[in-house]
Amino acid sequence: MKFFVDTADIAAIKELNDLGMVDGVTTNPSIIAKSGLNILEVTKEICDLVDGPVSAEVVATDAEQMIAEGRKLAKIADNIAVKVPLTWDGLKACKVLSEEGNMVNVTLCFSANQALLAAKAGATFISPFIGRLDDINIDGLELIEDIRLIYDNYGFETQILAASIRNANHMSECAKIGADVCTAPPNVIKAMANHVLTDNGLAAFLADAKKANIKIV
C-alpha cells in the first residue's frame, strides 16, 4: 500500500520523504489556506521534492471552469494529479482531464455508487473519506471494502486512495482491505511506529544496560 502524506508542510514532507515513507502528497483548499502559501508556488515546491503524484484541487464548481483550473494546475509539473469533487460537474471535468492524459483524483467520495461513477469517468484515484463517515456513525472502512469488491469485480484501474485517515488503526485496516493508497497527516504516519510494549521493552533494556555499564562507542 502506498503512503501519501496529507499536508503542505514542506519540512514534514521532507522528513518523511527522506525515510522513504512518501509515495505522493495530497492537498486541498483547507490545507493550502492553513499553510498561508500561494497554491501554485507551494504545489510546485512539493512536486520538486517528491517523485510521486501530488494532488492539487480545483476551487471551481462548474465543469468548464474546473477543466480550465485543472489544465493550469497540470502545467505545474508532470506529477500533478488534478483533484476534483465528486459532483456531476466534477465527473464531467474528470472525463475531459483524464482523456487529455492528466492524472485525476476524484475527492469527497462517501458511497460505493459515487466510486463506481468516478471509475467510469476515468479517475486515476478515488478518495473515499473514512473519518468523516465515522463522525456520523457510519463505518468508513466498510466503504473501502465495498469499493474494493466492485473495482475487483469489473477490473477498474482506478486506485482506491483512502482519505480522512484519523489514526494508525485506519492505516492497517485499509492495508488489510486492499486500499491502493492511504493519505494521512504526518502525525498519523509517525504514530504507526508507536506501541506501549516497545516503549516498555526499550526502557527495560536501557535500564539493564546502565546497570551493567554496557557501552558500545
Side-chain angles (χ1 to χ4, degrees):
M1 184 178 74
K2 288 174 280 191
F3 286 14
F4 287 6
V5 60
D6 196 34
T7 186
D9 184 328
I10 298 298
I13 294 169
K14 188 175 188 307
E15 179 187 8
L16 291 170
N17 193 54
D18 287 346
L19 283 171
M21 300 295 176
V22 177
D23 299 300
V25 175
T26 54
T27 66
N28 59 45
S30 297
I31 287 173
I32 297 296
K34 184 178 179 180
S35 75
L37 302 170
N38 176 277
I39 183 173
L40 301 179
E41 293 174 359
V42 70
T43 302
K44 178 66 167 65
E45 190 171 357
I46 295 169
C47 288
D48 289 342
L49 183 61
V50 302
D51 295 328
V54 176
S55 289
E57 189 165 346
V58 302
V59 294
T61 56
D62 65 282
E64 185 176 350
Q65 193 60 29
M66 282 189 211
I67 292 166
E69 290 182 359
R71 286 169 175 161
K72 183 169 183 177
L73 290 170
K75 290 179 180 178
I76 294 173
D78 291 339
N79 55 333
I80 283 287
V82 179
K83 203 172 183 184
V84 300
L86 214 161
T87 61
W88 201 248
D89 278 271
L91 293 170
K92 291 178 181 178
C94 174
K95 181 69 171 174
V96 171
L97 291 168
S98 63
E99 286 183 346
E100 291 177 353
N102 301 295
M103 289 187 290
V104 180
N105 178 358
V106 180
T107 189
L108 293 170
C109 172
F110 295 97
S111 76
N113 278 335
Q114 289 180 317
L116 182 54
L117 289 171
K120 296 284 283 184
T124 312
F125 303 101
I126 182 66
S127 291
F129 278 40
I130 296 173
R132 294 196 194 185
L133 284 170
D134 288 349
D135 290 343
I136 59 171
N137 296 317
I138 296 174
D139 189 347
L141 290 168
E142 285 187 2
L143 175 59
I144 306 299
E145 291 177 342
D146 290 345
I147 298 172
R148 181 76 281 158
L149 176 62
I150 291 169
Y151 282 10
D152 288 348
N153 279 350
Y154 300 100
F156 287 118
E157 296 182 1
T158 299
Q159 297 181 51
I160 301 172
L161 197 170
S164 190
I165 299 292
R166 301 285 176 78
N167 53 62
N169 186 58
H170 277 162
M171 297 290 284
S172 56
E173 289 302 314
C174 283
K176 287 190 284 185
I177 292 167
D180 300 288
V181 189
C182 269
T183 186
N187 65 302
V188 172
I189 295 174
K190 294 172 92 170
M192 294 173 70
N194 299 339
H195 199 290
V196 63
L197 294 181
T198 301
D199 296 339
N200 292 344
L202 180 59
F205 291 159
L206 293 177
D208 288 341
K210 185 176 182 180
K211 289 177 186 177
N213 196 31
I214 297 173
K215 294 180 180 179
I216 297 174
V217 292

